[in-house]
Amino acid sequence: MNRDTAVNLLGRLHAAQNEFYAGGAGATLQELLAPSITWTVPGENRIAGTYRGLEQVLDYFRRRRDVSQRTFQITRRDVLVGEGDRLAALVDGFVTISNVDHRWSTVGLYDLIDQQIAACWLLPLDRRAFDAIWGA
């Protein structure tokens, strides 16, 4: 995959997620997600799980938006590309829950189909901290 293409796609994805998490409607976000998408979040917390299909993934995004009280924001730090339609992104997350600021880093591993996200696996760099932030 071309790095510029990957950076552009992830830039649009993260901008659409940030807009949605702040209270936006999510139309742009939906356009970037394949109908058969799978999104996997590890851990033992209230957002952990494997979500299959556009509706489940959007429900997960809504839950994350609600838990974060519309404060959740994503900042991309780096992108890794190679052969094929898989890429990885190192991102930082920021959220304020119950007046407490939290930051964490994850690697998102993405599969693409026709310039849409077909799958995502989130890999928190500090899973215990990630679980603590997102609660049980």
Side-chain angles (χ1 to χ4, degrees):
M1 162 153 305
N2 175 294
R3 181 174 171 75
D4 290 338
T5 300
V7 167
N8 180 278
L9 177 63
L10 288 177
R12 290 184 298 135
L13 174 66
H14 294 145
Q17 284 179 296
N18 286 341
E19 178 186 335
F20 180 79
Y21 291 138
T28 303
L29 180 58
Q30 289 183 49
E31 293 172 6
L32 296 168
L33 305 176
S36 60
I37 188 169
T38 299
W39 200 282
T40 303
V41 181
E44 296 185 25
N45 59 69
R46 59 186 151 181
I47 64 167
T50 297
Y51 306 93
R52 292 180 175 85
L54 190 54
E55 281 309 308
Q56 281 189 12
V57 170
L58 291 173
D59 285 346
Y60 153 69
F61 287 162
R62 284 183 200 98
R63 184 170 347 112
R64 197 157 67 168
R65 177 177 66 189
D66 293 344
V67 170
S68 70
Q69 303 160 335
R70 299 180 188 244
T71 64
F72 180 37
Q73 291 290 292
I74 300 166
T75 302
R76 186 187 67 245
R77 291 178 47 194
D78 205 355
V79 174
L80 177 65
V81 297
E83 298 292 324
D85 291 326
R86 184 168 280 173
L87 58 104
L90 176 62
V91 301
D92 291 336
F94 172 83
V95 67
T96 301
I97 299 174
S98 301
N99 295 318
V100 177
D101 293 340
H102 301 278
R103 292 182 188 275
W104 67 95
S105 296
T106 61
V107 171
L109 180 60
Y110 299 92
D111 274 346
L112 306 179
I113 295 176
D114 297 327
Q115 292 297 303
Q116 288 184 309
I117 306 298
C120 176
W121 296 267
L122 291 183
L123 308 166
L125 300 187
D126 184 339
R127 190 162 142 187
R128 273 188 242 185
F130 187 80
D131 281 344
I133 292 166
W134 291 104

PDB file of all heavy atoms in Angstrom, residues 51-65:
ATOM      1  N   TYR A  51     -17.108  -6.486  17.334  1.00  0.00           N
ATOM      2  CA  TYR A  51     -18.327  -5.943  16.748  1.00  0.00           C
ATOM      3  C   TYR A  51     -18.326  -6.275  15.262  1.00  0.00           C
ATOM      4  O   TYR A  51     -17.342  -6.004  14.573  1.00  0.00           O
ATOM      5  CB  TYR A  51     -18.393  -4.428  16.988  1.00  0.00           C
ATOM      6  CG  TYR A  51     -18.252  -4.104  18.452  1.00  0.00           C
ATOM      7  CD1 TYR A  51     -17.007  -3.813  19.000  1.00  0.00           C
ATOM      8  CD2 TYR A  51     -19.352  -4.152  19.296  1.00  0.00           C
ATOM      9  CE1 TYR A  51     -16.865  -3.549  20.359  1.00  0.00           C
ATOM     10  CE2 TYR A  51     -19.212  -3.897  20.663  1.00  0.00           C
ATOM     11  CZ  TYR A  51     -17.965  -3.596  21.184  1.00  0.00           C
ATOM     12  OH  TYR A  51     -17.828  -3.346  22.531  1.00  0.00           O
ATOM     13  N   ARG A  52     -19.420  -6.855  14.793  1.00  0.00           N
ATOM     14  CA  ARG A  52     -19.494  -7.321  13.412  1.00  0.00           C
ATOM     15  C   ARG A  52     -20.632  -6.623  12.673  1.00  0.00           C
ATOM     16  O   ARG A  52     -21.764  -6.615  13.163  1.00  0.00           O
ATOM     17  CB  ARG A  52     -19.707  -8.833  13.379  1.00  0.00           C
ATOM     18  CG  ARG A  52     -18.497  -9.587  13.877  1.00  0.00           C
ATOM     19  CD  ARG A  52     -18.710 -11.095  13.842  1.00  0.00           C
ATOM     20  NE  ARG A  52     -17.499 -11.788  14.217  1.00  0.00           N
ATOM     21  CZ  ARG A  52     -17.136 -12.037  15.474  1.00  0.00           C
ATOM     22  NH1 ARG A  52     -17.915 -11.659  16.467  1.00  0.00           N
ATOM     23  NH2 ARG A  52     -16.009 -12.665  15.734  1.00  0.00           N
ATOM     24  N   GLY A  53     -20.306  -6.077  11.525  1.00  0.00           N
ATOM     25  CA  GLY A  53     -21.304  -5.383  10.728  1.00  0.00           C
ATOM     26  C   GLY A  53     -21.378  -3.908  11.096  1.00  0.00           C
ATOM     27  O   GLY A  53     -21.026  -3.496  12.204  1.00  0.00           O
ATOM     28  N   LEU A  54     -21.825  -3.124  10.149  1.00  0.00           N
ATOM     29  CA  LEU A  54     -21.847  -1.678  10.304  1.00  0.00           C
ATOM     30  C   LEU A  54     -22.671  -1.234  11.503  1.00  0.00           C
ATOM     31  O   LEU A  54     -22.248  -0.357  12.267  1.00  0.00           O
ATOM     32  CB  LEU A  54     -22.380  -1.032   9.018  1.00  0.00           C
ATOM     33  CG  LEU A  54     -22.247   0.472   8.903  1.00  0.00           C
ATOM     34  CD1 LEU A  54     -20.816   0.949   9.112  1.00  0.00           C
ATOM     35  CD2 LEU A  54     -22.776   0.933   7.554  1.00  0.00           C
ATOM     36  N   GLU A  55     -23.837  -1.823  11.724  1.00  0.00           N
ATOM     37  CA  GLU A  55     -24.686  -1.387  12.842  1.00  0.00           C
ATOM     38  C   GLU A  55     -24.036  -1.648  14.199  1.00  0.00           C
ATOM     39  O   GLU A  55     -24.071  -0.789  15.080  1.00  0.00           O
ATOM     40  CB  GLU A  55     -26.074  -2.032  12.766  1.00  0.00           C
ATOM     41  CG  GLU A  55     -26.981  -1.355  11.777  1.00  0.00           C
ATOM     42  CD  GLU A  55     -27.062   0.167  11.966  1.00  0.00           C
ATOM     43  OE1 GLU A  55     -27.324   0.635  13.082  1.00  0.00           O
ATOM     44  OE2 GLU A  55     -26.833   0.890  10.969  1.00  0.00           O
ATOM     45  N   GLN A  56     -23.436  -2.839  14.382  1.00  0.00           N
ATOM     46  CA  GLN A  56     -22.772  -3.125  15.654  1.00  0.00           C
ATOM     47  C   GLN A  56     -21.592  -2.186  15.878  1.00  0.00           C
ATOM     48  O   GLN A  56     -21.371  -1.712  16.994  1.00  0.00           O
ATOM     49  CB  GLN A  56     -22.291  -4.576  15.713  1.00  0.00           C
ATOM     50  CG  GLN A  56     -23.370  -5.567  16.028  1.00  0.00           C
ATOM     51  CD  GLN A  56     -22.808  -6.956  16.296  1.00  0.00           C
ATOM     52  OE1 GLN A  56     -21.594  -7.154  16.456  1.00  0.00           O
ATOM     53  NE2 GLN A  56     -23.695  -7.940  16.337  1.00  0.00           N
ATOM     54  N   VAL A  57     -20.814  -1.923  14.820  1.00  0.00           N
ATOM     55  CA  VAL A  57     -19.654  -1.040  14.959  1.00  0.00           C
ATOM     56  C   VAL A  57     -20.120   0.378  15.297  1.00  0.00           C
ATOM     57  O   VAL A  57     -19.565   1.022  16.190  1.00  0.00           O
ATOM     58  CB  VAL A  57     -18.770  -1.080  13.696  1.00  0.00           C
ATOM     59  CG1 VAL A  57     -17.703   0.014  13.738  1.00  0.00           C
ATOM     60  CG2 VAL A  57     -18.122  -2.454  13.562  1.00  0.00           C
ATOM     61  N   LEU A  58     -21.155   0.853  14.635  1.00  0.00           N
ATOM     62  CA  LEU A  58     -21.664   2.193  14.948  1.00  0.00           C
ATOM     63  C   LEU A  58     -22.249   2.253  16.361  1.00  0.00           C
ATOM     64  O   LEU A  58     -22.087   3.267  17.052  1.00  0.00           O
ATOM     65  CB  LEU A  58     -22.691   2.624  13.906  1.00  0.00           C
ATOM     66  CG  LEU A  58     -22.115   2.905  12.527  1.00  0.00           C
ATOM     67  CD1 LEU A  58     -23.243   3.159  11.527  1.00  0.00           C
ATOM     68  CD2 LEU A  58     -21.133   4.063  12.550  1.00  0.00           C
ATOM     69  N   ASP A  59     -22.906   1.185  16.806  1.00  0.00           N
ATOM     70  CA  ASP A  59     -23.393   1.132  18.192  1.00  0.00           C
ATOM     71  C   ASP A  59     -22.232   1.208  19.176  1.00  0.00           C
ATOM     72  O   ASP A  59     -22.315   1.892  20.202  1.00  0.00           O
ATOM     73  CB  ASP A  59     -24.210  -0.134  18.443  1.00  0.00           C
ATOM     74  CG  ASP A  59     -25.601  -0.073  17.837  1.00  0.00           C
ATOM     75  OD1 ASP A  59     -26.052   1.030  17.442  1.00  0.00           O
ATOM     76  OD2 ASP A  59     -26.235  -1.150  17.733  1.00  0.00           O
ATOM     77  N   TYR A  60     -21.141   0.502  18.863  1.00  0.00           N
ATOM     78  CA  TYR A  60     -19.938   0.571  19.696  1.00  0.00           C
ATOM     79  C   TYR A  60     -19.397   2.006  19.734  1.00  0.00           C
ATOM     80  O   TYR A  60     -19.061   2.528  20.802  1.00  0.00           O
ATOM     81  CB  TYR A  60     -18.879  -0.401  19.158  1.00  0.00           C
ATOM     82  CG  TYR A  60     -17.463  -0.022  19.470  1.00  0.00           C
ATOM     83  CD1 TYR A  60     -16.973  -0.083  20.773  1.00  0.00           C
ATOM     84  CD2 TYR A  60     -16.602   0.412  18.470  1.00  0.00           C
ATOM     85  CE1 TYR A  60     -15.669   0.281  21.061  1.00  0.00           C
ATOM     86  CE2 TYR A  60     -15.299   0.761  18.748  1.00  0.00           C
ATOM     87  CZ  TYR A  60     -14.844   0.700  20.042  1.00  0.00           C
ATOM     88  OH  TYR A  60     -13.555   1.065  20.324  1.00  0.00           O
ATOM     89  N   PHE A  61     -19.307   2.660  18.574  1.00  0.00           N
ATOM     90  CA  PHE A  61     -18.837   4.048  18.531  1.00  0.00           C
ATOM     91  C   PHE A  61     -19.756   4.955  19.362  1.00  0.00           C
ATOM     92  O   PHE A  61     -19.283   5.840  20.072  1.00  0.00           O
ATOM     93  CB  PHE A  61     -18.782   4.567  17.093  1.00  0.00           C
ATOM     94  CG  PHE A  61     -17.660   3.999  16.257  1.00  0.00           C
ATOM     95  CD1 PHE A  61     -17.730   4.089  14.878  1.00  0.00           C
ATOM     96  CD2 PHE A  61     -16.545   3.396  16.814  1.00  0.00           C
ATOM     97  CE1 PHE A  61     -16.711   3.600  14.070  1.00  0.00           C
ATOM     98  CE2 PHE A  61     -15.523   2.896  16.028  1.00  0.00           C
ATOM     99  CZ  PHE A  61     -15.603   2.998  14.654  1.00  0.00           C
ATOM    100  N   ARG A  62     -21.074   4.723  19.286  1.00  0.00           N
ATOM    101  CA  ARG A  62     -22.010   5.526  20.086  1.00  0.00           C
ATOM    102  C   ARG A  62     -21.778   5.301  21.582  1.00  0.00           C
ATOM    103  O   ARG A  62     -21.809   6.249  22.374  1.00  0.00           O
ATOM    104  CB  ARG A  62     -23.452   5.171  19.729  1.00  0.00           C
ATOM    105  CG  ARG A  62     -23.915   5.740  18.424  1.00  0.00           C
ATOM    106  CD  ARG A  62     -25.401   5.409  18.164  1.00  0.00           C
ATOM    107  NE  ARG A  62     -25.668   5.552  16.754  1.00  0.00           N
ATOM    108  CZ  ARG A  62     -25.703   4.544  15.872  1.00  0.00           C
ATOM    109  NH1 ARG A  62     -25.544   3.290  16.266  1.00  0.00           N
ATOM    110  NH2 ARG A  62     -25.928   4.781  14.597  1.00  0.00           N
ATOM    111  N   ARG A  63     -21.555   4.048  21.977  1.00  0.00           N
ATOM    112  CA  ARG A  63     -21.302   3.755  23.394  1.00  0.00           C
ATOM    113  C   ARG A  63     -20.029   4.449  23.848  1.00  0.00           C
ATOM    114  O   ARG A  63     -19.986   5.054  24.923  1.00  0.00           O
ATOM    115  CB  ARG A  63     -21.192   2.243  23.627  1.00  0.00           C
ATOM    116  CG  ARG A  63     -21.023   1.916  25.106  1.00  0.00           C
ATOM    117  CD  ARG A  63     -21.143   0.441  25.465  1.00  0.00           C
ATOM    118  NE  ARG A  63     -21.678  -0.408  24.444  1.00  0.00           N
ATOM    119  CZ  ARG A  63     -20.967  -1.343  23.802  1.00  0.00           C
ATOM    120  NH1 ARG A  63     -19.702  -1.532  24.094  1.00  0.00           N
ATOM    121  NH2 ARG A  63     -21.529  -2.096  22.887  1.00  0.00           N
ATOM    122  N   ARG A  64     -18.984   4.399  23.041  1.00  0.00           N
ATOM    123  CA  ARG A  64     -17.723   5.056  23.379  1.00  0.00           C
ATOM    124  C   ARG A  64     -17.935   6.572  23.482  1.00  0.00           C
ATOM    125  O   ARG A  64     -17.391   7.217  24.369  1.00  0.00           O
ATOM    126  CB  ARG A  64     -16.681   4.705  22.316  1.00  0.00           C
ATOM    127  CG  ARG A  64     -15.281   4.971  22.727  1.00  0.00           C
ATOM    128  CD  ARG A  64     -14.253   4.164  21.981  1.00  0.00           C
ATOM    129  NE  ARG A  64     -14.130   4.478  20.575  1.00  0.00           N
ATOM    130  CZ  ARG A  64     -13.131   4.034  19.824  1.00  0.00           C
ATOM    131  NH1 ARG A  64     -12.189   3.260  20.327  1.00  0.00           N
ATOM    132  NH2 ARG A  64     -13.078   4.341  18.554  1.00  0.00           N
ATOM    133  N   ARG A  65     -18.746   7.125  22.588  1.00  0.00           N
ATOM    134  CA  ARG A  65     -19.059   8.554  22.641  1.00  0.00           C
ATOM    135  C   ARG A  65     -19.810   8.897  23.926  1.00  0.00           C
ATOM    136  O   ARG A  65     -19.506   9.896  24.584  1.00  0.00           O
ATOM    137  CB  ARG A  65     -19.903   8.941  21.423  1.00  0.00           C
ATOM    138  CG  ARG A  65     -20.334  10.386  21.428  1.00  0.00           C
ATOM    139  CD  ARG A  65     -21.102  10.763  20.201  1.00  0.00           C
ATOM    140  NE  ARG A  65     -22.384  10.062  20.128  1.00  0.00           N
ATOM    141  CZ  ARG A  65     -23.175  10.087  19.068  1.00  0.00           C
ATOM    142  NH1 ARG A  65     -22.815  10.761  17.972  1.00  0.00           N
ATOM    143  NH2 ARG A  65     -24.317   9.445  19.070  1.00  0.00           N
TER     144      ARG A  65
END
